[in-house]
Amino acid sequence: MSTDNLIIFDTTLRDGEQSPGASMTKDEKVRIAKALEKMKVDVIEAGFPIASQGDFEAVKAVADVIKDSSVCGLSRALEKDINRVGEALKNAANPRIHTFIATSPIHMQMKLRMEPDAVLEQAVNAVKMARGFTNNVEFSPEDAGRSELDFLCRVIEAVIDAGATTINIPDTVGYNVPDQFGLLIKNLMERIPNSDKAVFSVHCHNDLGMAVANSLAAVQNGARQVECTINGLGERAGNASLEEIVMAIRTRQDIFTCDTRLDTTQIMNCSRLVSGITGFAVQPNKAIVGANAFAHESGIHQDGVLKNRETYEIMRAQDVGWADNRIVLGKHSGRNAFRSCLKDLDIEFESEEELNDAFARFKELADKKHEIYDEDLRALVSESEAQLESELYKMVSLKVCSETGEIPEATIVMSIDGKEESSTSTGSGPVDATFKSIEKMANSGAELKLYSVNNITTGTDSQGEVTVRLELDGRIINGQGADTDIVIASAKAYIHALNLLENPANRAHPQHADV
Ligand code: KIV
Ligand code: ZN
């Protein structure tokens, strides 16, 4: 079978960020973008620059550092949006502008209050404007999945003539089903006279749980770009999940006539990074990246797999990055061993100071936990990076009393802007008491929207990784902390979230500003 290239367009940093609670800071977006580049994603949609100053800066920061993937920014079909994207992508090695306008009757009448001809004209003008910045221009007729075929054909033909090089067909509300969506792509490609001048792409939402199936049906009918996100993150029920699309295509090369250039061994790394940063846990039975995706419980299955792995496994766990969790270091390991283990995990530090800071944390951890695994090292490095972001509040010490029949009490000493203060509170449990004592001093008024704990490795001496989501005046922030003591991990996560709230760059949800 001939194999075409299927372009993987990742929109975790744009559509993924539109999930309520999934907002990311500029530094977090850069970290995820670097992991996507390493995985060889073709296009990274980094954000929606007109939405806010914060998102403009995040897209710019990603465009400044990513060299091996194309970096894309989203814009409505408006001059001010396109100028803003052009500015954000100024230093990108391979910039792409993605512009969109809705074409379905309901969106044109109720949302845009525009006649179809005016929509077509605005689409064409936007594509021409975008071509003034780059010859890599993508156009999306928003809500294409509910648009009229004749009108869709007219718009697409006109924007290809105007210079669009990728035509993306979004099922914006996740309304389509596989046979019908596949046929839509086939019809468009057959009916539009200049369809061979552009790559056809799809962008499917998961409202009916069919985003991946719809995307794959489109690929079988000629689409050669798929828009997707890590862990299926995205607006409402999410987008098509990148790992499921990529592994379906790779595993079923007997039926697909295309493949991606992705390094699939990086999938788990990206999945963990996105889940850690956003606080969106991955369900255990999630395909490819869920904790049980390669676990065999029943005796018959275990017996079969021991005799021949392929009896019950269609993919190899290591091909998607599920390495056996190796014990890599212990309390006697030195700096060189530490540095070399991080190198094996492709973790690099920008400065000697960052390495020293991480090494000091490693020594502290190794005193409490004798065997340090790959996952512990990853968490430790994420924590060092989080700490460097902003440091108005620092935890100095924490004392918690919890006893059956007694009311839990926590006393925390924090340094606030360099000055040490302490406070004591009681609560319904040790974590509640700790958060109350922190809040007594910080007085942020933020509302706790999510508190989640995950163990990083197995065993009772494992580190707990905590996410704390705070909301203040419509801003939603995720803080993270890790420690072998989950109350301390919780305090670290709360303090991290407070520091993020203090940073003006994180003040508004990057994509929820009034545009
Ligand atoms: O779902 C959608 O229609 C989108 C477009 C902006 C492509 O996200
Ligand atoms: Zn979308």
Side-chain angles (χ1 to χ4, degrees):
M1 256 180 202
S2 73
T3 30
D4 289 354
N5 184 37
L6 177 67
I7 298 168
I8 293 297
F9 176 114
D10 180 280
T11 182
T12 308
L13 303 181
R14 198 278 298 171
D15 213 317
E17 193 185 39
Q18 286 172 217
S19 309
S23 64
M24 302 163 208
T25 64
K26 179 175 83 180
D27 292 344
E28 288 168 345
K29 281 198 171 188
V30 169
R31 269 160 68 199
I32 295 174
K34 284 184 178 167
L36 294 172
E37 179 186 41
K38 186 158 184 234
M39 188 162 66
K40 297 197 168 67
V41 157
D42 300 283
V43 187
I44 299 172
E45 187 166 49
F48 191 7
I50 193 78
S52 67
Q53 180 62 21
D55 213 30
F56 170 84
E57 281 167 17
V59 175
K60 184 170 178 335
V62 170
D64 288 353
V65 298
I66 298 298
K67 298 292 164 229
D68 293 336
S69 307
S70 170
V71 177
C72 175
L74 183 68
S75 70
R76 291 167 301 179
L78 295 174
E79 189 175 359
K80 61 175 180 172
D81 286 37
I82 293 166
N83 286 339
R84 203 72 178 133
V85 182
E87 172 71 16
L89 297 180
K90 191 167 73 192
N91 301 328
N94 183 5
R96 175 182 291 194
I97 295 182
H98 178 189
T99 186
F100 73 98
I101 189 165
T103 50
S104 63
I106 184 168
H107 276 232
M108 289 191 292
Q109 282 159 25
M110 303 297 173
K111 185 182 80 172
L112 299 175
R113 299 189 196 283
M114 281 171 77
E115 290 300 321
D117 283 346
V119 167
L120 187 148
E121 194 185 325
Q122 195 168 317
V124 166
N125 288 340
V127 168
K128 285 186 180 157
M129 245 178 272
R131 285 292 302 233
F133 289 95
T134 169
N135 53 18
N136 188 348
V137 174
E138 171 168 331
F139 173 76
S140 289
E142 191 192 9
D143 204 16
R146 292 189 298 169
S147 299
E148 283 167 2
L149 187 62
D150 286 346
F151 180 58
L152 209 48
C153 288
R154 271 179 62 212
V155 173
I156 295 172
E157 184 180 350
V159 294
I160 294 176
D161 273 345
T165 45
T166 300
I167 298 297
N168 179 47
I169 306 300
D171 181 17
T172 304
V173 290
Y175 178 68
N176 285 241
V177 297
D179 284 354
Q180 170 228 336
F181 194 64
L183 194 60
L184 171 65
I185 301 304
K186 188 170 186 286
N187 281 335
L188 290 173
M189 292 182 69
E190 280 174 5
R191 286 180 51 166
I192 297 169
N194 54 1
S195 65
D196 61 322
K197 305 267 180 316
V199 172
F200 275 69
S201 163
V202 288
H203 174 112
C204 297
H205 278 271
N206 205 29
D207 299 67
L208 293 173
M210 284 186 278
V212 169
N214 286 340
S215 306
L216 294 175
V219 170
Q220 285 187 296
N221 283 281
R224 284 298 175 264
Q225 173 177 288
V226 173
E227 302 200 352
C228 44
T229 57
I230 301 291
N231 300 336
L233 198 68
E235 186 93 45
R236 305 181 311 278
N239 289 64
S241 122
L242 176 146
E243 56 278 5
E244 293 176 25
I245 303 270
V246 168
M247 289 315 291
I249 304 256
R250 187 68 52 90
T251 307
R252 296 307 308 272
Q253 279 293 293
D254 54 330
I255 56 167
F256 287 101
T257 56
C258 56
D259 198 2
T260 70
R261 63 176 195 117
L262 242 77
D263 174 0
T264 61
T265 62
Q266 295 301 314
I267 284 177
M268 278 312 301
N269 184 30
C270 289
S271 168
R272 288 192 182 113
L273 187 62
V274 169
S275 143
I277 284 176
T278 58
F280 279 53
V282 172
Q283 75 197 55
N285 56 331
K286 162 88 173 63
I288 321 291
V289 294
N292 293 348
F294 292 89
H296 300 280
E297 180 66 23
S298 103
I300 295 175
H301 288 209
Q302 286 173 347
D303 179 54
V305 169
L306 287 174
K307 288 178 177 145
N308 181 335
R309 186 189 60 78
E310 288 178 19
T311 51
Y312 287 100
E313 275 186 12
I314 57 165
M315 297 166 276
R316 296 188 325 157
Q318 57 269 46
D319 290 346
V320 298
W322 279 106
D324 295 336
N325 208 1
R326 296 174 310 141
I327 301 172
V328 286
L329 295 168
K331 70 187 275 190
H332 300 298
S333 308
R335 253 174 85 90
N336 280 343
F338 178 68
R339 192 198 291 264
S340 117
C341 281
L342 292 177
K343 203 161 165 250
D344 287 348
L345 295 174
D346 295 307
I347 298 171
E348 284 164 33
F349 289 100
E350 274 163 24
S351 68
E352 228 17 49
E353 188 203 342
E354 283 179 37
L355 174 70
N356 291 343
D357 175 68
F359 185 63
R361 282 164 195 277
F362 156 71
K363 281 290 182 188
E364 262 173 46
L365 179 64
D367 270 341
K368 292 188 258 174
K369 183 176 190 291
H370 300 305
E371 293 160 339
I372 306 289
Y373 294 80
D374 284 341
E375 290 319 314
D376 291 313
L377 290 180
R378 284 204 174 96
L380 196 115
V381 171
S382 303
E383 204 187 35
S384 306
E385 286 175 351
Q387 291 248 330
L388 289 170
E389 276 166 13
S390 163
E391 297 259 274
L392 176 68
Y393 301 103
K394 282 186 195 156
M395 178 164 62
V396 178
S397 66
L398 173 64
K399 183 176 165 205
V400 179
C401 302
S402 172
E403 195 182 332
T404 40
E406 298 294 326
I407 296 174
E409 186 182 88
T411 300
I412 186 152
V413 181
M414 283 207 296
S415 142
I416 306 180
D417 217 1
K419 197 166 149 258
E420 273 188 26
E421 291 179 32
S422 94
S423 87
T424 300
S425 289
T426 54
S428 56
V431 173
D432 187 45
T434 303
F435 286 3
K436 283 185 175 139
S437 345
I438 297 173
E439 195 50 40
K440 223 189 216 177
M441 283 188 279
N443 213 2
S444 73
E447 193 185 335
L448 181 67
K449 300 299 275 186
L450 173 108
Y451 169 72
S452 82
V453 189
N454 254 323
N455 56 334
I456 293 178
T457 55
T458 50
T460 48
D461 71 344
S462 152
Q463 289 196 85
E465 191 170 42
V466 174
T467 300
V468 164
R469 183 174 301 152
L470 296 182
E471 179 170 9
L472 183 65
D473 301 333
R475 292 170 284 150
I476 299 179
I477 294 293
N478 290 311
Q480 275 92 32
D483 202 281
T484 48
D485 179 324
I486 59 162
V487 185
I488 294 177
S490 306
K492 284 181 181 173
Y494 199 97
I495 292 170
H496 180 218
L498 288 178
N499 280 325
L500 290 174
L501 276 179
E502 282 302 319
N503 184 342
N506 304 323
R507 282 195 177 278
H509 184 292
Q511 293 184 41
H512 288 183
D514 190 13
V515 292

CSV table of all heavy atoms in Angstrom, one decimal, residues 14-15 18 74 98 100 140 142-143 168 170-172 203 205 227, ligand 1:
chain,number,residue,atom,x,y,z
A,14,ARG,N,-4.6,25.4,22.2
A,14,ARG,CA,-5.6,26.4,21.8
A,14,ARG,C,-7.0,25.8,22.2
A,14,ARG,O,-7.6,26.2,23.1
A,14,ARG,CB,-5.5,26.7,20.3
A,14,ARG,CG,-6.2,28.0,19.9
A,14,ARG,CD,-7.6,27.8,19.7
A,14,ARG,NE,-7.9,26.9,18.6
A,14,ARG,CZ,-9.1,26.5,18.3
A,14,ARG,NH1,-10.2,26.8,19.0
A,14,ARG,NH2,-9.3,25.6,17.3
A,15,ASP,N,-7.5,24.8,21.4
A,15,ASP,CA,-8.8,24.3,21.7
A,15,ASP,C,-8.7,23.6,23.1
A,15,ASP,O,-9.7,23.7,23.9
A,15,ASP,CB,-9.2,23.3,20.6
A,15,ASP,CG,-10.7,23.4,20.4
A,15,ASP,OD1,-11.5,23.4,21.4
A,15,ASP,OD2,-11.2,23.3,19.3
A,18,GLN,N,-9.3,25.7,25.9
A,18,GLN,CA,-10.7,26.2,26.0
A,18,GLN,C,-11.5,25.4,27.0
A,18,GLN,O,-12.7,25.7,27.3
A,18,GLN,CB,-11.4,26.4,24.6
A,18,GLN,CG,-10.8,27.5,23.9
A,18,GLN,CD,-11.3,27.6,22.4
A,18,GLN,OE1,-10.6,28.0,21.5
A,18,GLN,NE2,-12.5,27.2,22.2
A,74,LEU,N,-4.5,31.2,15.9
A,74,LEU,CA,-5.9,31.3,15.4
A,74,LEU,C,-6.3,32.7,15.3
A,74,LEU,O,-5.9,33.6,16.1
A,74,LEU,CB,-6.8,30.5,16.4
A,74,LEU,CG,-8.3,30.4,16.0
A,74,LEU,CD1,-8.5,29.6,14.7
A,74,LEU,CD2,-9.1,29.9,17.1
A,98,HIS,N,-4.3,30.5,11.0
A,98,HIS,CA,-5.5,29.8,10.9
A,98,HIS,C,-6.6,30.7,11.1
A,98,HIS,O,-6.8,31.3,12.2
A,98,HIS,CB,-5.5,28.7,12.0
A,98,HIS,CG,-6.7,27.8,12.0
A,98,HIS,ND1,-7.0,27.0,13.0
A,98,HIS,CD2,-7.8,27.7,11.2
A,98,HIS,CE1,-8.2,26.4,12.8
A,98,HIS,NE2,-8.7,26.8,11.7
A,100,PHE,N,-10.9,31.7,10.6
A,100,PHE,CA,-12.2,31.0,10.5
A,100,PHE,C,-13.3,31.9,10.5
A,100,PHE,O,-13.3,33.0,11.1
A,100,PHE,CB,-12.3,30.0,11.7
A,100,PHE,CG,-12.6,30.6,13.0
A,100,PHE,CD1,-13.9,30.7,13.5
A,100,PHE,CD2,-11.6,31.1,13.8
A,100,PHE,CE1,-14.1,31.3,14.8
A,100,PHE,CE2,-11.8,31.7,15.0
A,100,PHE,CZ,-13.1,31.8,15.5
A,140,SER,N,-10.9,27.7,8.1
A,140,SER,CA,-12.0,26.8,8.7
A,140,SER,C,-13.3,27.4,8.5
A,140,SER,O,-13.6,28.5,9.0
A,140,SER,CB,-11.8,26.5,10.2
A,140,SER,OG,-10.6,25.7,10.4
A,142,GLU,N,-16.4,27.4,10.2
A,142,GLU,CA,-16.8,26.9,11.5
A,142,GLU,C,-18.2,26.3,11.4
A,142,GLU,O,-19.0,26.8,10.6
A,142,GLU,CB,-16.8,28.1,12.5
A,142,GLU,CG,-17.0,27.6,13.9
A,142,GLU,CD,-17.3,28.7,14.9
A,142,GLU,OE1,-17.5,29.9,14.4
A,142,GLU,OE2,-17.3,28.5,16.1
A,143,ASP,N,-18.4,25.2,12.1
A,143,ASP,CA,-19.7,24.5,12.1
A,143,ASP,C,-20.0,23.9,10.7
A,143,ASP,O,-21.1,23.7,10.3
A,143,ASP,CB,-20.8,25.4,12.6
A,143,ASP,CG,-22.0,24.5,13.1
A,143,ASP,OD1,-21.8,23.3,13.4
A,143,ASP,OD2,-23.1,25.1,13.3
A,168,ASN,N,-9.7,23.3,6.6
A,168,ASN,CA,-10.1,22.4,7.7
A,168,ASN,C,-11.6,22.4,7.9
A,168,ASN,O,-12.3,23.4,7.9
A,168,ASN,CB,-9.4,23.1,9.0
A,168,ASN,CG,-9.8,22.3,10.2
A,168,ASN,OD1,-9.7,21.1,10.2
A,168,ASN,ND2,-10.2,23.0,11.3
A,170,PRO,N,-14.4,21.6,10.3
A,170,PRO,CA,-14.7,21.4,11.7
A,170,PRO,C,-16.1,20.8,11.9
A,170,PRO,O,-17.1,21.3,11.4
A,170,PRO,CB,-14.6,22.7,12.4
A,170,PRO,CG,-14.2,23.7,11.4
A,170,PRO,CD,-14.5,23.1,10.0
A,171,ASP,N,-16.2,19.8,12.8
A,171,ASP,CA,-17.5,19.4,13.3
A,171,ASP,C,-17.6,20.0,14.7
A,171,ASP,O,-17.3,19.4,15.7
A,171,ASP,CB,-17.6,17.8,13.4
A,171,ASP,CG,-18.9,17.4,13.9
A,171,ASP,OD1,-19.9,18.2,13.9
A,171,ASP,OD2,-19.1,16.2,14.3
A,172,THR,N,-17.8,21.3,14.7
A,172,THR,CA,-17.7,22.2,15.8
A,172,THR,C,-18.5,21.7,17.0
A,172,THR,O,-18.1,21.8,18.2
A,172,THR,CB,-18.1,23.6,15.4
A,172,THR,OG1,-17.3,24.0,14.3
A,172,THR,CG2,-18.0,24.6,16.6
A,203,HIS,N,-11.5,18.5,12.1
A,203,HIS,CA,-11.4,19.0,13.4
A,203,HIS,C,-12.7,18.6,14.1
A,203,HIS,O,-13.7,19.2,13.9
A,203,HIS,CB,-11.2,20.5,13.4
A,203,HIS,CG,-11.2,21.2,14.7
A,203,HIS,ND1,-10.1,21.8,15.3
A,203,HIS,CD2,-12.2,21.4,15.6
A,203,HIS,CE1,-10.4,22.4,16.4
A,203,HIS,NE2,-11.7,22.1,16.7
A,205,HIS,N,-15.2,17.4,17.3
A,205,HIS,CA,-15.5,17.5,18.7
A,205,HIS,C,-16.2,16.2,19.2
A,205,HIS,O,-16.8,15.5,18.3
A,205,HIS,CB,-16.2,18.8,19.1
A,205,HIS,CG,-15.3,19.9,19.2
A,205,HIS,ND1,-14.7,20.3,20.4
A,205,HIS,CD2,-14.8,20.8,18.3
A,205,HIS,CE1,-13.9,21.3,20.2
A,205,HIS,NE2,-13.9,21.7,18.9
A,227,GLU,N,-6.8,17.4,13.2
A,227,GLU,CA,-6.6,18.3,14.3
A,227,GLU,C,-7.0,17.5,15.6
A,227,GLU,O,-8.1,16.9,15.6
A,227,GLU,CB,-7.4,19.6,14.1
A,227,GLU,CG,-7.0,20.3,12.9
A,227,GLU,CD,-7.3,21.8,12.8
A,227,GLU,OE1,-8.0,22.3,13.7
A,227,GLU,OE2,-6.9,22.4,11.8
B,1,KIV,O1,-14.4,23.7,16.8
B,1,KIV,C1,-14.2,24.6,15.9
B,1,KIV,O2,-14.9,24.9,15.0
B,1,KIV,C2,-12.9,25.3,16.1
B,1,KIV,C3,-12.5,26.2,15.0
B,1,KIV,C4,-11.9,27.5,15.4
B,1,KIV,C5,-11.6,25.4,14.0
B,1,KIV,O3,-12.3,25.2,17.1
